[in-house]
Amino acid sequence: MVKRKNISSVKHIFSKITPLLLALFILIKSAFSSSLLESLYINPINKKKPEAIIFYNTLNPCLTCNQTINLIINILRSNYKERLHAYLINLKYHPEFYPVFNLKGPLNLVIIPINDGTSFGYKKLSNPQSAIYDPISFKNQITEFIDNSIY
């Protein structure tokens, strides 16, 4: 009888703990995945450089979003690799950024100037895909926006 009581109480405790452990696992997993950003390249001098963030949303994509993102990434890598820390963030998984940066539309480019480890607001370019049809104008628009935002 004593063994049955012990087995029964172990089963009871296990039945109470299992949902708790599952919930804890889900919370830990979501906390880690939500804190991870898709870095375009590593910032070797942590928080000493301005940050460029491309926000997109796979739930609300535009026809030229992928092409626009690739062009912005190419501009960032070729012109700003040593001067910026860049991220690519899917708002489908990080909707908390909508109110933080007042994001509109399916695609936004945000620049956060950082000076001596401190950020000073942000600059936002909404819907950069609207200029995609003229590649030279697009590159100039993005470059001018970044240059005016980080200096």
Side-chain angles (χ1 to χ4, degrees):
M1 271 305 194
V2 173
K3 286 186 177 181
R4 284 189 179 179
K5 188 175 182 183
N6 287 343
I7 291 173
S8 174
S9 49
V10 169
K11 284 183 179 179
H12 177 72
I13 291 170
F14 187 72
S15 70
K16 297 293 183 190
I17 291 177
T18 301
L20 190 60
L21 290 175
L22 182 60
L24 183 62
F25 172 75
I26 291 170
L27 283 173
I28 290 172
K29 184 179 178 204
S30 67
F32 280 113
S33 64
S34 67
S35 67
L36 294 177
L37 303 177
E38 303 170 50
S39 183
L40 299 176
Y41 43 82
I42 303 295
N43 183 4
I45 306 167
N46 193 20
K47 298 295 180 191
K48 300 284 185 202
K49 296 179 182 181
E51 296 184 342
I53 308 171
I54 303 167
F55 290 102
Y56 69 102
N57 191 340
T58 53
L59 290 176
N60 181 26
C62 63
L63 292 175
T64 58
C65 281
N66 285 339
Q67 182 183 4
T68 305
I69 290 168
N70 287 331
L71 287 172
I72 293 172
I73 289 171
N74 287 338
I75 292 168
L76 290 171
R77 284 186 174 154
S78 63
N79 299 342
Y80 300 98
K81 187 171 185 175
E82 301 299 321
R83 300 187 295 166
L84 283 175
H85 187 192
Y87 297 102
L88 180 62
I89 299 176
N90 187 345
L91 292 165
K92 173 183 175 182
Y93 303 111
H94 302 285
E96 66 274 12
F97 286 112
Y98 276 111
V100 172
F101 294 107
N102 192 27
L103 301 172
K104 307 275 189 236
L107 192 58
N108 293 268
L109 175 60
V110 172
I111 304 295
I112 302 172
I114 295 182
N115 190 357
D116 292 329
T118 306
S119 65
F120 295 95
Y122 66 91
K123 304 276 179 133
K124 176 182 68 173
L125 180 62
S126 295
N127 298 312
Q129 71 276 11
S130 60
I132 195 76
Y133 298 106
D134 181 358
I136 294 171
S137 174
F138 177 79
K139 183 177 180 181
N140 291 340
Q141 175 190 6
I142 299 298
T143 303
E144 183 178 326
F145 171 72
I146 294 172
D147 287 344
N148 290 336
S149 299
I150 62 175
Y151 299 116

